[in-house]
Amino acid sequence: MGSILETVMLVCFSFSWPLNVVKAYKAKTAKGTSLPFIVLIIMGYVAGITAKMISGQVNYVLIAYLINLAIVSMNVVVYFRNVSLDKKSLNMCE
């Protein structure tokens, strides 16, 4: 039962993170985005994956962790893209 509930939680996150990536991409600004927050989420997923491996509970839940880790990592890429766009926008105003 624990694995099922853990999977439900991860599936909910799996639907939320892509929406966040798309929103950040469309915003074209890093304002309001917290890189430390994103990094903490990534660290949490890495810890969850590591716990699964160490405990020997390598099952279908691990796939959800890996998918979420990949999607949240995309947030980092979009963040740095948006920082670059912010810098370009600032330079154009000067």
Side-chain angles (χ1 to χ4, degrees):
M1 185 65 169
S3 289
I4 292 171
L5 293 173
E6 185 177 19
T7 301
V8 169
M9 174 198 71
L10 290 167
V11 166
C12 289
F13 289 164
S14 293
F15 284 108
S16 300
W17 285 120
L19 296 174
N20 186 267
V21 172
V22 169
K23 180 180 174 187
Y25 186 84
K26 285 181 178 180
K28 296 183 180 178
T29 181
K31 294 175 184 172
T33 304
S34 171
L35 183 60
F37 174 77
I38 296 169
V39 171
L40 280 172
I41 297 297
I42 289 171
M43 289 171 52
Y45 283 124
V46 169
I49 291 166
T50 304
K52 289 285 183 195
M53 303 294 259
I54 290 172
S55 68
Q57 293 180 335
V58 179
N59 56 19
Y60 61 90
V61 177
L62 184 61
I63 294 168
Y65 274 106
L66 293 169
I67 290 169
N68 282 328
L69 177 61
I71 295 169
V72 175
S73 295
M74 287 173 49
N75 269 294
V76 175
V77 173
V78 171
Y79 172 82
F80 284 110
R81 170 218 177 230
N82 287 347
V83 165
S84 176
L85 291 174
D86 286 342
K87 287 179 183 177
K88 286 179 185 176
S89 176
L90 186 61
N91 288 338
M92 290 178 70
C93 291
E94 292 178 350

